[in-house]
Amino acid sequence: MPGFELFGELEKQEVNDVLDNGVLMRYGFDGMRKGHWKAKALESELQNTFQSKHVQLVSSGTAAVSVALGSAGVGAGDEVIMPTFTFVASFEAIMMLGAIPVLADIDDTLGLNPEAVEAAITPKTKAIMVVQMCGSMANMDALKAIAEKHNLLLVEDACQAIGGTFNGQPLGSVGDLGCFSFDFVKTITCGEGGAVITNNEKYYTNADHYSDHGHDHVGSDRGAETHPFLGYNFRISELHAAVGLAQVKRLPEFLDIQRRNFNIIREALSTIPEVVFRTVPEGGVESCAFLNFFLPDLETSRKVIEAFKNGGVDACWNYFDNNWHYIRKWDHLKNLKSLFPISKEVKEGLEYLQTRTFEKSDHYISRNISCLIKLSWTEEEVKQRANKMAELIKSVL
Ligand SMILES: *Cc1c(COP(=O)(O)O)cnc(C)c1O
C-alpha cells in the first residue's frame, strides 16, 4: 500500500517548486507564488480520481472525518454508528465534535454488518460511518438503503481503500461524504494530509470554511474575509500537497503493481481449502492494498502469524491482538481516559461499552489474517513470498 515506497524525482520536483518561491501556505500570497497552487491542483486531480464534484484537502485523515461530520451538521449529543474494526481515528474524530460513537458489529466483509447497524439506530442517530477497511468495502447497497430509510447521513471512511470501487464508483464517493488519509503509510502519501469529498455543495462550502477558521474565502484579500461561522485550523500545507500531487499522478501505476502482487499471493493461497477469503460485496472491486482471509479459528491464526514471523514473512497481522484497530484493546475508550473533562452526554452515551460484547466481530477478527501488499516487491519476490506463505500455513494446519 504505501506510496512512500516508490518516492522519486516527481515528488522532489513538486516540492522544489514550493521551496523555490517560499510560499508554504495554501491560501493568499498570490504574487509571490509564481502560479504554484499545489493544494488547489491536488484538489482538482482528486476530483477526477474520486469522481466527485468537490474535494477539500485537510491536514489528516482524522481531521477529514471530523470535518466531514461537522460540515454535515453532526455535533454535541448526536450518535454516529461506526464499526468495531477500524482505526482509533474513527471514534476520536466523532468525540472531537462532542458526538457519541456507537459501535456496531462487522460481518465477513470486515465492514459494518447492516443488521447490527439497523439495531443500533436510536432517535439520536445522525450518521452511519462506514469504514472501508483493508482495501475492500462493506455491503454498501444494504447500508445505503438503511441510511435512506432512516434519513441518516452515510459517511465513508475510505482511508484504506484508495482505488477500490463499488458498482464502478470509487470508494469514498458512494456515501454523502467520503474521507481519505494521505498519511505516511497510505496508498498516496503527502507525509500528513487528508481529504473530504462530496457532491453536496453546501457540505463542501462548510468544509472549506470550517477547516480554515471559518474564513469565507471570498475575494483575493485574505485580510478582508469574514467568518460566517466558527471553525478550526485543519489546513494542509503547500509542501504536503506538493508531495501528494506527484503521488496522485502515479496512482494508476501504484494500483497496477498492487493488483499484480495481490493476485499472485491470492492464487497461491487459494489452493488451501482452510483459507477462506473475505467476502467482497457484489459489484465491488478491491483496491488490493491488503489481502485478507479467514482461518478455522483464533488458535490457528495465531500459529500462522507466529510461523510467518519465524519464516521471515513480514507485514501480516491478526487484528484480534492489535491495539490500534479493534475494540478489544481500546481500554482508553472504554474507561474514558481523557486529559480533560468530557461532557456528561458523551460519558452517559458511552456507558454501553462497559457491558456490551461483540461476539460477531470477535468471530471474524479472531480468525482473520490481514497482509499488507507492498509496492516495492518485484514479481519474483512476490512469487517466492506467496509460496513461502502457502507452505507456512500448511505447516500449521
Ligand atoms: C489512517 C486512517 C485514518 C486516519 O488518518 P490520519 O491521516 O493518520 O489521521 C482514519 N481511518 C482509517 C481507516 C485509517 O486507516
Side-chain angles (χ1 to χ4, degrees), residues 60-62 86-87 89 131 133 157 159-160 181 183 186 193:
S60 72
T62 313
T86 173
F87 178 52
V131 185
M133 283 298 279
D157 174 341
C159 292
Q160 294 193 8
S181 163
D183 80 16
K186 298 303 201 281

Side-chain angles (χ1 to χ4, degrees), residues 234-245:
F234 293 119
R235 290 189 307 258
I236 194 165
S237 81
E238 283 288 277
L239 279 174
H240 290 90
V243 178
L245 192 55

Side-chain angles (χ1 to χ4, degrees), residues 80-86 90 102-118 120 127-133 136-144 146-147 153-157 278-279 281 358 360-361 364:
V80 179
I81 298 173
M82 57 164 269
T84 52
F85 175 51
T86 173
S90 300
V102 174
L103 273 62
D105 270 321
I106 57 159
D107 58 23
D108 58 359
T109 65
L110 297 176
L112 274 173
N113 174 336
E115 276 171 31
V117 168
E118 196 135 37
I128 301 170
M129 187 161 73
V130 185
V131 185
Q132 314 292 28
M133 283 298 279
S136 187
M137 69 217 81
N139 184 341
M140 294 308 290
D141 273 336
L143 291 166
K144 236 180 143 160
I146 294 170
L153 276 173
L154 187 64
V155 179
E156 260 183 288
D157 174 341
R278 76 155 0 139
T279 298
F358 295 94
K360 285 202 178 94
S361 303
Y364 292 111

Side-chain angles (χ1 to χ4, degrees), residues 179-231:
C179 308
F180 291 92
S181 163
F182 309 122
D183 80 16
F184 192 55
V185 296
K186 298 303 201 281
T187 308
I188 299 176
T189 182
C190 293
E192 298 282 2
V196 177
I197 68 169
T198 183
N199 286 330
N200 181 307
E201 190 170 354
K202 186 71 196 157
Y203 297 162
Y204 162 68
T205 309
N206 287 347
D208 169 76
H209 297 6
Y210 180 68
S211 58
D212 184 28
H213 303 294
H215 270 267
D216 65 9
H217 297 150
V218 172
S220 58
D221 178 5
R222 198 165 160 79
E225 290 173 2
T226 63
H227 303 95
F229 49 76
L230 296 168

Side-chain angles (χ1 to χ4, degrees), residues 229-393:
F229 49 76
L230 296 168
Y232 285 103
N233 176 3
F234 293 119
R235 290 189 307 258
I236 194 165
S237 81
E238 283 288 277
L239 279 174
H240 290 90
V243 178
L245 192 55
Q247 291 252 302
V248 76
K249 288 176 182 162
R250 304 176 63 197
L251 180 62
E253 172 200 337
F254 291 177
L255 292 174
D256 282 350
I257 299 171
Q258 213 164 252
R259 185 165 308 280
R260 177 200 71 188
N261 294 353
F262 175 100
N263 284 337
I264 292 171
I265 300 178
R266 193 183 199 279
E267 200 170 307
L269 301 195
S270 63
T271 59
I272 308 172
E274 288 86 350
V275 168
V276 176
F277 295 104
R278 76 155 0 139
T279 298
V280 177
E282 206 184 317
V285 177
E286 295 180 75
S287 79
C288 301
F290 293 81
L291 177 70
N292 281 271
F293 54 92
F294 301 106
L295 289 166
D297 51 42
L298 175 62
E299 203 194 332
T300 312
S301 298
R302 281 182 173 149
K303 279 188 189 156
V304 165
I305 289 292
E306 196 54 33
F308 279 178
K309 263 189 200 134
N310 297 332
V313 174
D314 65 343
C316 292
W317 301 275
N318 171 294
Y319 284 120
F320 197 68
D321 296 322
N322 180 282
N323 289 338
W324 292 4
H325 293 284
Y326 190 51
I327 171 76
R328 218 176 129 245
K329 295 277 182 94
W330 295 342
D331 288 339
H332 63 312
L333 173 67
K334 292 180 210 163
N335 303 328
L336 266 186
K337 292 243 160 73
S338 174
L339 275 179
F340 45 80
I342 285 185
S343 79
K344 196 165 148 276
E345 258 175 323
V346 172
K347 268 190 194 157
E348 287 174 5
L350 286 174
E351 270 169 14
Y352 72 97
L353 284 176
Q354 298 302 316
T355 50
R356 178 79 52 88
T357 53
F358 295 94
E359 280 94 2
K360 285 202 178 94
S361 303
D362 285 346
H363 174 74
Y364 292 111
I365 293 299
S366 63
R367 298 183 302 131
N368 177 248
I369 289 189
S370 186
C371 295
L372 182 67
I373 301 296
K374 288 195 186 168
L375 298 173
S376 54
W377 295 329
T378 65
E379 197 166 339
E380 203 40 51
E381 282 169 341
V382 189
K383 284 182 179 158
Q384 280 172 15
R385 183 185 176 86
N387 291 336
K388 184 88 196 165
M389 286 169 75
E391 186 188 303
L392 291 168
I393 295 171

